[in-house]
Amino acid sequence: MRFAVTKVCGGGAKARAGMLQIAGSNIETPALLLSTRKGLPAFVSRDLLASLPLPDSLFLHVCPTHFMEGPPSKTISNIGGLHHMLGLPDHVLIAAAGDSIESLPTSEASNKFGASFETPAGRRLVKPSDYMELISCMKPNLWASLADEVPAWVTEKRNKVSVERTLRWLDACIALDEDSGANTLGVVVGGSSVEQRKLCATEVSKRNVSGFWIGGLGLGDSPEERCSILDAAVGCLPPEKPRVVSRLGLPEEVLEGVAAGIDLFDSTYIYQLTMGGFALIFPIDMVGKEMQNGSLNSSDGDFTKINLRATTYRKDTSRIVDSCSCFTCQNHTRAYLNHLLNVHEMLAQILLEIHNTHHYLCFFRLIRDTIKTGQFDRFRQQFVQDRRAYLAAAVI
């Protein structure tokens, strides 16, 4: 794996564009990791993955704890790893122990032996040796070390314990790794403590890791705390290695992360939208064309999304987004999606996830374009301003 920063915003800003060379592909950053359930997005099959924008859709976040109930890790290993089992030899699989759907970290049950997760099969304690056995069998391109993620409200003492455990488990994982950590993402934790975040980031940077995974966000932290946490962690990390963050999913959260210098985003936002019957609609072609008079020119319902379950779309024969080139928008109408959702057809989730994934990947492409053209700060400020204006009007 090779990573290079190709553009940094001027004026002391931290937002940056980069190029990640991995598994024979050159993928630009900032980029999105598509969340999966046992290797594939929840409602997008292997053949439908090919309909998504390339190479943007090559990043897949896989969760080793999803495979603790089967198939057996030895079976995956005998097949040749997860790439071969899924039939996705060209995709980039990035493994991390937890997610926000089926493997939630439970700090109160973690102990010195391992990290605890709430799974569909109950609470599971994962030891470094167990975790590395899964990693060895799955053979992902990159993997995040086991970490003790804690929510924002824990004590400073518990934050310190979290950092100590995470560093100890990182050393154990590297020692058990066949490549001695060459494909490892060191996890930065420390709850809402800025000092512990700095300490953890500094210590992880000393290890033989390929990049960094900033964990523990989205666990009760406020936007203000999140901003200081990101600044503290990123400020202690070397610039030549990629940075990944988990649980920043909303468009404004992603923009905040990019502004802090994050390169890759792991999020279940698309899954949550799809399950709720929502479709993304915010404009993604405004650079140099729609950013007129400091406005993003959007007026269709919610600034970012619409609820296709609503009766207002029962007879709406337009596309979800007129300019969208995804399979769903090219072949189906809002009225059809409304019908599928209200009769509880699974095809509704399939079509919605295709559109939402396509749209969000294009949003990340837009972010990269604004960084390259020096418009990112202006774009971010206007996007957040328009979003807040809509929310204020909705409340009134």
Side-chain angles (χ1 to χ4, degrees), residues 65 68 97 104-118 123-132 145-150 158 161-162 164-166 168-170 172-173:
T65 50
M68 295 186 76
L104 299 168
T106 52
S107 61
E108 67 274 10
S110 297
N111 56 42
K112 63 181 181 180
F113 300 109
S116 179
F117 299 90
E118 288 288 356
R123 184 171 290 180
R124 300 294 298 263
L125 184 70
V126 182
K127 300 177 182 178
S129 57
D130 300 330
Y131 183 68
M132 289 310 300
S145 58
L146 193 65
D148 184 18
E149 296 184 88
V150 296
R158 182 64 180 87
V161 170
S162 165
E164 292 172 350
R165 288 176 179 172
T166 298
R168 187 167 64 250
W169 295 343
L170 170 58
C173 288

Side-chain angles (χ1 to χ4, degrees), residues 34 71 107 116 170 201 210 243 285 301 313 347 358 361 380 390:
L34 301 185
S107 61
S116 179
L170 170 58
S210 297
R243 307 150 180 169
D285 57 351
Y313 301 110
L347 180 58
H358 185 282
L361 290 174
R380 177 173 70 96
Y390 168 79

Side-chain angles (χ1 to χ4, degrees), residues 1 20 22 92-95 140-144 182-185 210 264:
M1 184 203 79
L20 186 63
I22 185 169
V92 179
L93 304 184
I94 301 179
N141 300 96
L142 292 171
W143 54 272
N183 300 314
T184 308
L185 298 172
S210 297
L264 297 170

Side-chain angles (χ1 to χ4, degrees), residues 158-193:
R158 182 64 180 87
N159 286 327
K160 184 178 180 181
V161 170
S162 165
V163 172
E164 292 172 350
R165 288 176 179 172
T166 298
L167 293 174
R168 187 167 64 250
W169 295 343
L170 170 58
D171 292 336
C173 288
I174 292 176
L176 292 167
D177 181 34
E178 297 174 354
D179 298 317
S180 300
N183 300 314
T184 308
L185 298 172
V187 181
V188 177
V189 296
S192 59
S193 171

